[in-house]
PDB file of all heavy atoms in Angstrom:
ATOM      1  N   HIS A  22     187.883  13.862 124.572  1.00  0.00           N
ATOM      2  CA  HIS A  22     187.869  13.839 123.109  1.00  0.00           C
ATOM      3  C   HIS A  22     186.670  14.535 122.488  1.00  0.00           C
ATOM      4  O   HIS A  22     186.610  14.663 121.261  1.00  0.00           O
ATOM      5  CB  HIS A  22     187.939  12.388 122.609  1.00  0.00           C
ATOM      6  CG  HIS A  22     189.161  11.677 123.065  1.00  0.00           C
ATOM      7  ND1 HIS A  22     190.426  11.977 122.605  1.00  0.00           N
ATOM      8  CD2 HIS A  22     189.329  10.688 123.980  1.00  0.00           C
ATOM      9  CE1 HIS A  22     191.308  11.201 123.197  1.00  0.00           C
ATOM     10  NE2 HIS A  22     190.674  10.413 124.042  1.00  0.00           N
ATOM     11  N   GLY A  23     185.721  14.957 123.290  1.00  0.00           N
ATOM     12  CA  GLY A  23     184.530  15.613 122.752  1.00  0.00           C
ATOM     13  C   GLY A  23     183.786  14.670 121.820  1.00  0.00           C
ATOM     14  O   GLY A  23     183.728  13.471 122.053  1.00  0.00           O
ATOM     15  N   GLU A  24     183.247  15.204 120.765  1.00  0.00           N
ATOM     16  CA  GLU A  24     182.490  14.404 119.806  1.00  0.00           C
ATOM     17  C   GLU A  24     183.383  13.794 118.729  1.00  0.00           C
ATOM     18  O   GLU A  24     182.893  13.089 117.856  1.00  0.00           O
ATOM     19  CB  GLU A  24     181.390  15.255 119.167  1.00  0.00           C
ATOM     20  CG  GLU A  24     180.293  15.642 120.143  1.00  0.00           C
ATOM     21  CD  GLU A  24     179.602  14.436 120.767  1.00  0.00           C
ATOM     22  OE1 GLU A  24     179.236  13.506 120.027  1.00  0.00           O
ATOM     23  OE2 GLU A  24     179.440  14.428 122.000  1.00  0.00           O
ATOM     24  N   ARG A  25     184.681  14.085 118.778  1.00  0.00           N
ATOM     25  CA  ARG A  25     185.598  13.515 117.781  1.00  0.00           C
ATOM     26  C   ARG A  25     185.692  12.002 117.957  1.00  0.00           C
ATOM     27  O   ARG A  25     185.781  11.507 119.082  1.00  0.00           O
ATOM     28  CB  ARG A  25     187.012  14.089 117.951  1.00  0.00           C
ATOM     29  CG  ARG A  25     187.149  15.549 117.666  1.00  0.00           C
ATOM     30  CD  ARG A  25     188.611  16.022 117.758  1.00  0.00           C
ATOM     31  NE  ARG A  25     189.383  15.412 118.834  1.00  0.00           N
ATOM     32  CZ  ARG A  25     189.491  15.914 120.059  1.00  0.00           C
ATOM     33  NH1 ARG A  25     188.866  17.014 120.390  1.00  0.00           N
ATOM     34  NH2 ARG A  25     190.231  15.310 120.969  1.00  0.00           N
ATOM     35  N   PRO A  26     185.685  11.263 116.852  1.00  0.00           N
ATOM     36  CA  PRO A  26     185.883   9.817 116.955  1.00  0.00           C
ATOM     37  C   PRO A  26     187.264   9.498 117.521  1.00  0.00           C
ATOM     38  O   PRO A  26     188.253  10.156 117.166  1.00  0.00           O
ATOM     39  CB  PRO A  26     185.765   9.322 115.510  1.00  0.00           C
ATOM     40  CG  PRO A  26     185.177  10.436 114.739  1.00  0.00           C
ATOM     41  CD  PRO A  26     185.486  11.693 115.473  1.00  0.00           C
ATOM     42  N   HIS A  27     187.327   8.536 118.403  1.00  0.00           N
ATOM     43  CA  HIS A  27     188.602   8.108 118.978  1.00  0.00           C
ATOM     44  C   HIS A  27     188.495   6.633 119.332  1.00  0.00           C
ATOM     45  O   HIS A  27     187.453   6.179 119.810  1.00  0.00           O
ATOM     46  CB  HIS A  27     188.941   8.936 120.215  1.00  0.00           C
ATOM     47  CG  HIS A  27     190.347   8.758 120.676  1.00  0.00           C
ATOM     48  ND1 HIS A  27     190.731   7.708 121.478  1.00  0.00           N
ATOM     49  CD2 HIS A  27     191.462   9.481 120.425  1.00  0.00           C
ATOM     50  CE1 HIS A  27     192.029   7.803 121.713  1.00  0.00           C
ATOM     51  NE2 HIS A  27     192.495   8.865 121.081  1.00  0.00           N
ATOM     52  N   VAL A  28     189.561   5.902 119.111  1.00  0.00           N
ATOM     53  CA  VAL A  28     189.533   4.455 119.346  1.00  0.00           C
ATOM     54  C   VAL A  28     189.201   4.120 120.800  1.00  0.00           C
ATOM     55  O   VAL A  28     188.494   3.145 121.072  1.00  0.00           O
ATOM     56  CB  VAL A  28     190.853   3.790 118.887  1.00  0.00           C
ATOM     57  CG1 VAL A  28     192.036   4.231 119.735  1.00  0.00           C
ATOM     58  CG2 VAL A  28     190.723   2.290 118.872  1.00  0.00           C
ATOM     59  N   ASP A  29     189.666   4.915 121.740  1.00  0.00           N
ATOM     60  CA  ASP A  29     189.367   4.640 123.150  1.00  0.00           C
ATOM     61  C   ASP A  29     187.877   4.817 123.453  1.00  0.00           C
ATOM     62  O   ASP A  29     187.313   4.073 124.256  1.00  0.00           O
ATOM     63  CB  ASP A  29     190.192   5.542 124.066  1.00  0.00           C
ATOM     64  CG  ASP A  29     191.673   5.204 124.058  1.00  0.00           C
ATOM     65  OD1 ASP A  29     192.032   4.076 123.651  1.00  0.00           O
ATOM     66  OD2 ASP A  29     192.478   6.070 124.451  1.00  0.00           O
ATOM     67  N   VAL A  30     187.250   5.793 122.807  1.00  0.00           N
ATOM     68  CA  VAL A  30     185.818   5.993 122.992  1.00  0.00           C
ATOM     69  C   VAL A  30     185.054   4.825 122.361  1.00  0.00           C
ATOM     70  O   VAL A  30     184.110   4.300 122.954  1.00  0.00           O
ATOM     71  CB  VAL A  30     185.354   7.343 122.401  1.00  0.00           C
ATOM     72  CG1 VAL A  30     183.843   7.494 122.517  1.00  0.00           C
ATOM     73  CG2 VAL A  30     186.061   8.505 123.091  1.00  0.00           C
ATOM     74  N   ALA A  31     185.479   4.397 121.174  1.00  0.00           N
ATOM     75  CA  ALA A  31     184.844   3.240 120.521  1.00  0.00           C
ATOM     76  C   ALA A  31     184.971   2.001 121.397  1.00  0.00           C
ATOM     77  O   ALA A  31     184.013   1.234 121.541  1.00  0.00           O
ATOM     78  CB  ALA A  31     185.468   2.997 119.149  1.00  0.00           C
ATOM     79  N   ASP A  32     186.128   1.803 122.011  1.00  0.00           N
ATOM     80  CA  ASP A  32     186.316   0.669 122.929  1.00  0.00           C
ATOM     81  C   ASP A  32     185.393   0.780 124.138  1.00  0.00           C
ATOM     82  O   ASP A  32     184.809  -0.214 124.578  1.00  0.00           O
ATOM     83  CB  ASP A  32     187.764   0.588 123.412  1.00  0.00           C
ATOM     84  CG  ASP A  32     188.728   0.088 122.343  1.00  0.00           C
ATOM     85  OD1 ASP A  32     188.271  -0.458 121.320  1.00  0.00           O
ATOM     86  OD2 ASP A  32     189.951   0.260 122.545  1.00  0.00           O
ATOM     87  N   ALA A  33     185.268   1.983 124.687  1.00  0.00           N
ATOM     88  CA  ALA A  33     184.408   2.185 125.855  1.00  0.00           C
ATOM     89  C   ALA A  33     182.952   1.908 125.506  1.00  0.00           C
ATOM     90  O   ALA A  33     182.223   1.288 126.294  1.00  0.00           O
ATOM     91  CB  ALA A  33     184.568   3.609 126.386  1.00  0.00           C
ATOM     92  N   LEU A  34     182.517   2.335 124.317  1.00  0.00           N
ATOM     93  CA  LEU A  34     181.148   2.051 123.878  1.00  0.00           C
ATOM     94  C   LEU A  34     180.927   0.550 123.740  1.00  0.00           C
ATOM     95  O   LEU A  34     179.884   0.025 124.145  1.00  0.00           O
ATOM     96  CB  LEU A  34     180.865   2.755 122.551  1.00  0.00           C
ATOM     97  CG  LEU A  34     180.706   4.271 122.629  1.00  0.00           C
ATOM     98  CD1 LEU A  34     180.805   4.888 121.238  1.00  0.00           C
ATOM     99  CD2 LEU A  34     179.396   4.635 123.296  1.00  0.00           C
ATOM    100  N   ASN A  35     181.904  -0.144 123.171  1.00  0.00           N
ATOM    101  CA  ASN A  35     181.798  -1.599 123.034  1.00  0.00           C
ATOM    102  C   ASN A  35     181.722  -2.273 124.412  1.00  0.00           C
ATOM    103  O   ASN A  35     180.936  -3.199 124.618  1.00  0.00           O
ATOM    104  CB  ASN A  35     182.980  -2.137 122.235  1.00  0.00           C
ATOM    105  CG  ASN A  35     182.769  -3.565 121.816  1.00  0.00           C
ATOM    106  OD1 ASN A  35     181.964  -3.843 120.935  1.00  0.00           O
ATOM    107  ND2 ASN A  35     183.481  -4.483 122.455  1.00  0.00           N
ATOM    108  N   ASN A  36     182.534  -1.789 125.354  1.00  0.00           N
ATOM    109  CA  ASN A  36     182.509  -2.343 126.710  1.00  0.00           C
ATOM    110  C   ASN A  36     181.158  -2.117 127.385  1.00  0.00           C
ATOM    111  O   ASN A  36     180.667  -2.983 128.115  1.00  0.00           O
ATOM    112  CB  ASN A  36     183.631  -1.743 127.556  1.00  0.00           C
ATOM    113  CG  ASN A  36     184.993  -2.228 127.125  1.00  0.00           C
ATOM    114  OD1 ASN A  36     185.125  -3.260 126.481  1.00  0.00           O
ATOM    115  ND2 ASN A  36     186.022  -1.466 127.467  1.00  0.00           N
ATOM    116  N   LEU A  37     180.550  -0.954 127.131  1.00  0.00           N
ATOM    117  CA  LEU A  37     179.217  -0.703 127.677  1.00  0.00           C
ATOM    118  C   LEU A  37     178.201  -1.658 127.038  1.00  0.00           C
ATOM    119  O   LEU A  37     177.287  -2.138 127.716  1.00  0.00           O
ATOM    120  CB  LEU A  37     178.808   0.748 127.446  1.00  0.00           C
ATOM    121  CG  LEU A  37     179.496   1.756 128.367  1.00  0.00           C
ATOM    122  CD1 LEU A  37     179.259   3.178 127.869  1.00  0.00           C
ATOM    123  CD2 LEU A  37     179.005   1.594 129.792  1.00  0.00           C
ATOM    124  N   GLY A  38     178.369  -1.939 125.758  1.00  0.00           N
ATOM    125  CA  GLY A  38     177.517  -2.937 125.114  1.00  0.00           C
ATOM    126  C   GLY A  38     177.670  -4.297 125.761  1.00  0.00           C
ATOM    127  O   GLY A  38     176.683  -5.001 126.011  1.00  0.00           O
TER     128      GLY A  38
END
Side-chain angles (χ1 to χ4, degrees):
H22 300 290
E24 292 301 313
R25 294 184 321 269
H27 192 277
V28 66
D29 291 341
V30 176
D32 287 345
L34 288 165
N35 192 72
N36 290 339
L37 285 168

